[in-house]
Amino acid sequence: MQILITAGPTREYIDDVRYLSNASSGKMGYALADAACAAGCEVILISGPVHLPVPKCVEYVAVETTVEMRDACLKHFPHCDGVIAAAAVSDYKPAQRVTGKMSKTGGPITINMIETDDVLAELGCRKSDQWIIGFALEAENARENALQKLRAKNCDFIVLNAPSAIGADDNNVELLGPDGAMQGSWQGPKREVAEQLIDWLKQTFAS
Ligand code: CTP
């Protein structure tokens, strides 16, 4: 089984030295990549900038911006059986990237922001007989919002987790199907949660 896994944050540049990003550590995505390799899968890991060692077993693609993550995903997805989208993709980016370095103005400034491409939704539009597992990071109405994302992005399943997962060593997740039925719920160190998710995946999509 060949799996595409996205991990880590993306960065959106304001000028050539400043960017907006988020506190994702990449730990969940990297744990999934490592667990998938250990279970005998071939893994392509597309990752934003993180401070983690790259698992030796993966084909690794380093990206920085959401556009780079999108391009890498669209390139590799056709050769994969499915995708697990664990990346914390930036939702907004500055409408324009300033060349060089912006100088201080002596007063407040406003930066116009526009939405980034939704990488997962684009994969959802393009999937053939492939499966797609998204992640949903939800602060409130968690299951309802996660299911909405599953449908909007044409996922087969979605992993629901909470903002406390960002940067943490442990996670507490529920895996939901399109009808809202819970397929599994796991908690503990991210590597153990990853192992259980990959076990489930192999049983569910074994060909
Ligand atoms: N995602 C993506 N591209 C984006 C935003 C999110 O591919 N521009 C993916 C994430 O990798 C994750 C899923 O979509 O698998 C849901 O991400 P999440 O941050 O929970 O939700 P958003 O779609 O960003 O919506 P919101 O921030 O409003 O909750």
Side-chain angles (χ1 to χ4, degrees), residues 2-17:
Q2 183 146 26
I3 309 181
L4 180 65
I5 297 177
T6 68
T10 55
R11 291 178 178 168
E12 303 304 336
Y13 279 85
I14 297 167
D15 60 20
D16 288 342
V17 296

Side-chain angles (χ1 to χ4, degrees), residues 85 87 89-91 116-120 134-137 149 153:
V89 183
S90 296
D91 287 330
T116 56
D117 298 324
D118 194 311
V119 181
L120 186 58
F135 266 68
L137 192 72
K149 280 179 195 169
K153 302 182 193 224

Side-chain angles (χ1 to χ4, degrees), residues 114-133:
I114 55 172
E115 279 192 21
T116 56
D117 298 324
D118 194 311
V119 181
L120 186 58
E122 208 162 334
L123 296 179
C125 284
R126 289 170 184 238
K127 77 170 174 173
S128 52
D129 55 352
Q130 296 147 302
W131 45 263
I132 295 195
I133 301 179

Side-chain angles (χ1 to χ4, degrees), residues 8-197:
T10 55
R11 291 178 178 168
E12 303 304 336
Y13 279 85
I14 297 167
D15 60 20
D16 288 342
V17 296
R18 303 183 181 93
Y19 57 78
L20 297 158
S21 190
N22 62 66
S24 168
S25 63
K27 285 177 193 162
M28 193 67 237
Y30 278 56
L32 284 163
D34 199 43
C37 288
C41 303
E42 285 172 49
V43 177
I44 300 172
L45 176 61
I46 298 178
S47 174
V50 297
H51 302 284
L52 294 172
V54 177
K56 288 204 173 61
C57 49
V58 304
E59 181 179 339
Y60 185 68
V61 183
V63 298
E64 206 175 355
T65 64
T66 302
V67 166
E68 288 170 5
M69 182 165 279
R70 170 192 176 272
D71 290 349
C73 284
L74 295 188
K75 177 175 169 197
H76 290 283
F77 185 55
H79 318 297
C80 293
D81 296 299
V83 59
I84 307 177
V89 183
S90 296
D91 287 330
Y92 289 93
K93 63 179 177 183
Q96 273 155 355
R97 174 176 171 158
V98 174
T99 305
K101 178 175 174 271
M102 283 167 64
S103 299
K104 281 195 290 189
T105 62
I109 61 164
T110 303
I111 299 171
N112 273 333
M113 304 280 280
I114 55 172
E115 279 192 21
T116 56
D117 298 324
D118 194 311
V119 181
L120 186 58
E122 208 162 334
L123 296 179
C125 284
R126 289 170 184 238
K127 77 170 174 173
S128 52
D129 55 352
Q130 296 147 302
W131 45 263
I132 295 195
I133 301 179
F135 266 68
L137 192 72
E138 301 301 340
E140 52 195 20
N141 299 326
R143 288 190 186 136
E144 200 180 306
N145 288 349
L147 274 182
Q148 262 181 25
K149 280 179 195 169
L150 177 152
R151 290 175 189 138
K153 302 182 193 224
N154 201 22
C155 298
D156 298 283
F157 296 94
I158 197 143
V159 180
L160 167 59
N161 60 180
S164 57
I166 289 280
D169 290 331
D170 290 4
N171 206 352
N172 185 347
V173 309
E174 287 181 5
L175 178 67
L176 305 176
D179 54 359
M182 204 194 298
Q183 310 291 314
S185 110
W186 304 294
Q187 58 184 309
K190 285 182 174 173
R191 183 59 172 77
E192 284 174 25
V193 170
E195 213 166 291
Q196 288 175 298
L197 185 54

